[in-house]
Amino acid sequence: MDGTAADAAGLEALVRLLAGRGVVVLSGAGLSTESGIPDYRGESGSRRRGTPMTYQEFTGSDAARRRYWARSHVGWRTIARAEPNAGHRAVEQLRRSGHVAAVITQNVDGLHHAAGTRTAVELHGGLRRVVCLECRRTTSRAELDERLEELNAGFRAEVAQPQPQPRLNPDGDAELAPGLVDCFRIAPCLACGGVLKPDVVFFGESVPKPRVQRCYELVDAAQALVVLGSSLAVLSGLRFVRHAARAGTPVVIVNQGATRGDDLAEARVALPLGAVLAEASRRVRASWPA
Ligand SMILES: [Zn+2]
């Protein structure tokens, strides 16, 4: 594999830790870019425009919800069509061979699950589910998508007309001109008429305590923590890296670009995720078969 001497040393450290088994993976948006879902920096390295909608905005007005669902309705197609890449598949292979003990993901795209890692803890929830804020019933996004499509026939086509594809963010939010969203019709909960929200943690909302607790337990039991494709920009993920480092648990970071956890890591690899993980998986399973 190409890369610097530091990358080669990082890859060796990664393989050694995986061989020791009991590795917990913490994944972020960078793991899904090879599946066609842009990360927060986008392919060109530019930041997304505007900030994601907060929980307070979403629950505060119909207009905000209309804007959220219109943009999400357009972005959902890309998320729904995305397939796991070599990185997700390597993680699942390593889990099956016993080298990876658990997966915690900051991603809401469901791609670990799609790769077969059904036990992956979705720290920030998942876009494939929708929750009613009144009766708390959880339903499928695919079902809601059909309802929104019926209520807004031709909307997606209209959006695609004037310019090339709208820019997409990893939370399934497509960037649309403000005027376009005004006529979008949203759908209420079929059971109680309440407000529907994707089953993801919004900015301004906290991750449910039992879920955080579960992640701390996984990190406490880990022999090593491996960060895959996250710049650890938000405390939500960074706290687990700090927790592991404090306990003397080795941390390896695989990410193309600097992260907020770099000074806590024993090794770093700054190469494309899919190739690194496929290579690590090959080496580990060749030397230490299950
Ligand atoms: Zn309801």
Side-chain angles (χ1 to χ4, degrees):
M1 270 190 99
D2 293 338
T4 64
D7 291 327
L11 180 57
E12 264 174 45
L14 175 63
V15 171
R16 178 173 43 77
L17 291 173
L18 284 166
R21 295 171 178 265
V23 164
V24 168
V25 163
L26 172 65
S27 70
L31 185 60
S32 292
T33 53
E34 291 172 40
S35 292
I37 300 175
D39 69 14
Y40 282 99
R41 291 209 164 270
E43 282 161 36
S44 60
S46 61
R47 277 299 229 189
R48 62 181 287 159
R49 275 184 294 244
T51 46
M53 184 171 290
T54 65
Y55 181 75
Q56 289 70 21
E57 281 177 278
F58 183 86
T59 52
S61 79
D62 255 338
R65 289 191 284 277
R66 188 176 305 123
R67 180 158 62 93
Y68 177 86
W69 282 117
R71 293 165 60 113
S72 183
H73 186 57
V74 172
W76 169 246
R77 261 309 131 88
T78 304
I79 306 281
R81 275 196 206 129
E83 288 184 7
N85 64 53
H88 298 104
R89 290 195 296 272
V91 168
E92 172 58 11
Q93 261 179 346
L94 288 162
R95 188 194 64 80
R96 282 194 205 178
S97 60
H99 297 99
V100 164
V103 176
I104 301 167
T105 186
Q106 303 176 92
N107 298 341
V108 293
D109 53 37
L111 291 178
H112 279 297
H113 286 72
T117 315
R118 310 218 173 269
T119 51
V121 179
E122 294 182 304
L123 188 59
H124 299 153
L127 284 171
R128 281 177 163 73
R129 297 178 305 277
V130 174
V131 64
C132 170
L133 293 181
E134 267 63 45
C135 72
R136 306 309 301 182
R137 196 173 76 121
T138 300
T139 49
S140 92
R141 174 62 181 266
E143 184 187 297
L144 175 66
D145 186 62
E146 283 177 20
R147 294 175 63 204
L148 291 177
E149 194 61 30
E150 266 176 39
L151 286 168
N152 300 278
F155 183 78
R156 278 196 185 110
E158 188 190 335
V159 166
Q161 274 307 315
Q163 41 353 34
Q165 287 298 300
R167 268 171 49 135
L168 182 74
N169 292 304
D171 53 358
D173 176 47
E175 295 174 354
L176 304 180
L180 273 171
V181 308
D182 294 342
C183 57
F184 194 80
R185 296 175 66 196
I186 54 181
C189 171
L190 283 173
C192 79
V195 167
L196 294 180
K197 173 183 167 289
D199 191 13
V200 299
V201 177
F202 275 40
F203 279 79
E205 191 179 9
S206 25
V207 178
K209 284 220 168 63
R211 201 184 295 165
V212 175
Q213 195 49 43
R214 168 88 185 117
C215 293
Y216 276 124
E217 286 165 13
L218 291 173
V219 173
D220 279 337
Q223 298 300 308
L225 181 64
V226 172
V227 177
L228 301 177
S230 173
S231 61
L232 300 169
V234 291
L235 192 61
S236 174
L238 180 63
R239 59 185 157 180
F240 300 117
V241 174
R242 287 181 173 161
H243 188 75
R246 264 198 303 273
T249 304
V251 174
V252 173
I253 299 179
V254 187
N255 189 64
Q256 291 185 279
T259 84
R260 278 178 80 193
D262 285 356
D263 54 344
L264 302 172
E266 109 166 23
R268 276 188 40 82
V269 185
L271 296 172
L273 271 289
V276 167
L277 292 171
E279 174 66 12
S281 175
R282 190 189 63 73
R283 286 197 206 173
V284 170
R285 288 176 306 117
S287 316
W288 293 273

